[in-house]
Amino acid sequence: MALLGFLILVGLIVIAQGWILGRPALSRLDYRRDFSKYVCREGERIEMVETISNRKRLPVPWLRLESMLPSALSFTRSSDTSVSEGNIYQNHASLFTLPARTKITRTHRITCRERGIYPIESATMTGGDLFGMYAPSKKIDLHARMVIHPRMLGDGELPISWKTWQGELAVRRWIVEDPFLITGVREYAQSDPMNRIHWKASARTGRLQVHKSGYSADPRVMILLNVEDSETMWSVVTRKGLVERQLSLAATCAASLIGQGMPAGFAHNGESQLGEAGYRLDTDYGPVHLGRMLEAMAGFELKSRLPFHELMQLEAQREFREPIDYLIVTAHRSSKVEEAIASLEQLGHRVGVTGFSADGANVAASGIRSSGQREAASFGEEAAL
């Protein structure tokens, strides 16, 4: 009888602690997740900060946080965190105890391994009592989104064809500024007249700012990226590393052009996570527009939407007030691409070609000529006549 009474007493204690600690385990619990950056660059290191608050007088014996995160985010391993990785997603879980009236902050270090746009929709919180009698669970909506831009190439990684074309472009720009073309703001210099001061920007930054003017002849550049890694590619990219390198080159070119105060745009023949909004961005100025271009590049998918020469034909059908500059980033050349380039040049547009071939060489060295080379060849033919 004594043993039976003891067992009944133990059972009552287990049930009681379950009712006291287990059933209300998730009540008056607050959870928040923030990233140090929601827009970053491939290879960059950021932090994910979790804040958990227990506002009740009872502790939570055990609390499990679990969420599905993109595999592009590489977490630094810790003793209280387990990560099960897959090809696309990873299961990120952590288990710990939360005392009464306590707020804890947990910081996770992350390396952004692959560019892309990744939704982070929810997390699951599960708590319970000492013996697991009750284990209530709750889904927490986060509605966050990580945008990882392509990696920027260093000077030593850029192809000679890009540097040559950029030099030709710089020569055509006039040194004289156009006071009627405002492209942004910059810091005040001693030679600037007082009527150029931007008072609102000066008040916002705490330092004198003036209107930044464009150039009298300011070329507009449209960057066209070819998702096709070879002439025989059908739909899905087979050389992913090659096309990712081409995308990094396009991002580096866009950042360089915008940084020099020139308007730039971006278009490609691949699929996009952003839908039609990510297929083509017209030329414009400034860091805000550059951010939109880099986001379109982040959402770029390694699938062909239409042949590249058809994309160029669509560009030839567009109406512009004056000819623009096209920079073609491609891994291969074909007769159809050459014909499309010739069509653009016949309309007065200037066309430059850059990129890397499958063996890592500069495509310009493989027979694709930039606009400067074409003009030189044409001049030589006329001279011979």
Side-chain angles (χ1 to χ4, degrees), residues 295-356:
E295 183 173 345
M297 295 178 185
F300 175 79
E301 294 185 346
L302 302 179
K303 296 179 183 178
S304 177
R305 175 171 49 91
L306 76 166
F308 188 60
H309 68 274
E310 291 186 10
L311 174 68
M312 298 176 66
Q313 290 171 358
L314 293 175
E315 288 295 320
Q317 295 172 11
R318 295 182 180 273
E319 296 183 1
F320 297 96
R321 289 182 300 177
E322 57 185 17
I324 68 172
D325 286 81
Y326 280 97
L327 177 63
I328 297 174
V329 182
T330 180
H332 74 93
R333 70 183 186 93
S334 67
S335 58
K336 291 182 178 180
V337 170
E338 291 285 0
E339 291 173 2
I341 291 175
S343 298
L344 288 173
E345 291 180 334
Q346 288 174 3
L347 295 172
H349 302 299
R350 292 171 291 270
V351 182
V353 183
T354 188
F356 305 99

Side-chain angles (χ1 to χ4, degrees), residues 190-354:
Q190 291 184 354
S191 58
D192 292 324
M194 294 296 291
N195 61 358
R196 300 269 315 266
I197 294 178
H198 192 305
W199 294 108
K200 289 185 178 179
S202 301
R204 186 168 57 251
T205 60
R207 304 179 66 176
L208 280 178
Q209 304 287 317
V210 296
H211 293 282
K212 182 180 179 181
S213 300
Y215 294 90
S216 298
D218 206 0
R220 294 180 297 157
V221 180
M222 195 71 193
I223 300 172
L224 301 183
L225 174 65
N226 187 6
V227 71
E228 300 167 357
D229 55 18
S230 66
E231 188 175 355
T232 58
M233 195 195 91
W234 178 248
S235 176
V236 180
V237 172
T238 55
R239 299 184 179 94
K240 295 183 179 180
L242 173 62
V243 178
E244 288 291 347
R245 195 179 181 195
Q246 306 281 69
L247 185 63
S248 293
L249 173 59
T252 306
C253 296
S256 176
L257 294 169
I258 294 290
Q260 296 176 51
M262 284 186 277
F266 174 64
H268 60 86
N269 63 326
E271 295 289 350
S272 175
Q273 292 177 260
L274 302 175
E276 292 187 3
Y279 293 155
R280 190 183 192 279
L281 280 79
D282 208 350
T283 57
D284 205 346
Y285 298 91
V288 175
H289 179 65
L290 176 61
R292 288 195 291 264
M293 293 175 65
L294 294 176
E295 183 173 345
M297 295 178 185
F300 175 79
E301 294 185 346
L302 302 179
K303 296 179 183 178
S304 177
R305 175 171 49 91
L306 76 166
F308 188 60
H309 68 274
E310 291 186 10
L311 174 68
M312 298 176 66
Q313 290 171 358
L314 293 175
E315 288 295 320
Q317 295 172 11
R318 295 182 180 273
E319 296 183 1
F320 297 96
R321 289 182 300 177
E322 57 185 17
I324 68 172
D325 286 81
Y326 280 97
L327 177 63
I328 297 174
V329 182
T330 180
H332 74 93
R333 70 183 186 93
S334 67
S335 58
K336 291 182 178 180
V337 170
E338 291 285 0
E339 291 173 2
I341 291 175
S343 298
L344 288 173
E345 291 180 334
Q346 288 174 3
L347 295 172
H349 302 299
R350 292 171 291 270
V351 182
V353 183
T354 188

